Amino acid sequence: LGAAVVLCAVGAAAWCGLSIATNSMFWMVAIGIGWLIAWGTVKAAGRGGLVVQSLIALFTVLSVLLGQMLFAAHQFNEFAQQKGQTVDWVGFTAATPGILVAMGSDTLFSLGGGLLGAFYAAKLASKPKFDVEVERA
């Protein structure tokens, strides 16, 4: 759980940073975040099957959506500074669900990328399959 939480924060920072730098969103970044969370969580917990896969998938989606909210916070803060105002961050945080809904297609794009990343991450964390064949003489 600890590894997934830390890597979720790292992934959110990466999503936000790349969004700020390029003013674009990329699904490959979401897939990369999923891979990072899967890799770190599997290293920490092992390939635990459904529980670990669910944890990894959840934190991948949360990471991308958190990164999208951080990007929105950055844009909101820049707009407020241009107007000579400050941001009420407590109010902004409380309004997070409404902000995500208001962002519409950007949120859907991020969510789609997060779900795709979660899918690949869950595949990486699945239990290994061993096939044993016995030949008879």
Side-chain angles (χ1 to χ4, degrees), residues 115-130:
L115 289 171
L116 189 62
F119 171 76
Y120 286 114
K123 280 182 75 170
L124 284 172
S126 64
K127 287 187 177 181
K129 294 182 176 141
F130 297 107

Side-chain angles (χ1 to χ4, degrees), residues 12-26 29 67-68 71-72 74-75 110:
W15 182 269
C16 177
L18 284 170
S19 295
I20 290 170
T22 63
N23 205 27
S24 297
M25 297 175 283
F26 303 98
V29 175
Q68 188 63 25
F71 177 63
H74 171 76
Q75 289 183 318
S110 300

Side-chain angles (χ1 to χ4, degrees), residues 34 40 51 65 75 134 136:
V51 173
L65 290 177
Q75 289 183 318
V134 177
R136 295 186 186 238

Side-chain angles (χ1 to χ4, degrees), residues 27-42:
W27 274 12
M28 290 305 295
V29 175
I31 293 169
I33 289 169
W35 181 88
L36 176 71
I37 293 172
W39 176 82
T41 305
V42 165

